[in-house]
């Protein structure tokens, strides 16, 4: 219901998943504040469903990330993939890409900056 009542705040140019998760997070926080509950008040033995993993959020986030990365130049996308997602060092990424380590650093920095501008909320004026 909260998503429905706040649908006017969604910007279609932005990824959907982070917006939905933010609403869910704030609803949970509001609920915990109202009930004055905390994690230490929940008997773990009685709530096995807390341990069930739902990977749909990860899948949706992955799809959102793929769409965003697709909007970057191929070189930039490749360096971000190698360094930030695959966890390679800049020297390892440079060896795989055939460019210098400093070029990898610059490419990753510029790519992350471009991504932040793509997901940054726009100020309506």
């Amino acid at each position: 219901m909260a998503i429905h009542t706040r649908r006017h705040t969604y910007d279609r140019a932005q990824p959907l998943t982070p917006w939905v998760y933010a609403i869910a997070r704030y609803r949970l926080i509001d609920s915990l504040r109202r009930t004055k509950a905390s994690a230490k008040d929940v008997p773990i033995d009685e709530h096995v469903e807390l341990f069930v993993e739902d990977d749909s959020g990860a899948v949706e986030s992955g799809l959102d990330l793929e769409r965003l990365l697709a909007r970057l130049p191929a070189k930039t996308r490749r360096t971000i993939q190698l360094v930030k997602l695959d966890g390679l060092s800049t020297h390892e990424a440079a060896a795989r890409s055939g460019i210098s380590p400093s070029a990898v650093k610059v490419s990753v920095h510029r790519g992350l900056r471009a991504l932040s501008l793509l997901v940054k909320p726009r100020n309506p004026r």
Side-chain angles (χ1 to χ4, degrees), residues 21-83:
Y21 283 158
I23 291 173
R25 182 177 58 245
Y26 292 127
R27 293 292 297 167
L28 175 62
I29 291 169
D30 290 343
S31 174
L32 291 174
R33 284 184 184 145
R34 267 193 316 276
T35 61
K36 294 185 171 55
S38 71
K40 66 181 178 183
D41 297 330
V42 178
I44 297 297
D45 296 336
E46 297 175 16
H47 296 283
V48 177
E49 68 273 3
L50 292 175
F51 298 106
V52 176
E53 290 190 34
D54 178 13
D55 65 347
S56 63
V59 170
E60 290 175 17
S61 295
L63 293 173
D64 288 341
L65 180 60
E66 284 179 21
R67 277 181 250 158
L68 287 169
L69 287 173
R71 296 172 69 179
L72 298 176
K75 174 186 162 189
T76 304
R77 185 172 50 245
R78 173 111 170 107
T79 56
I80 289 175
Q81 176 69 44
L82 292 172
V83 175

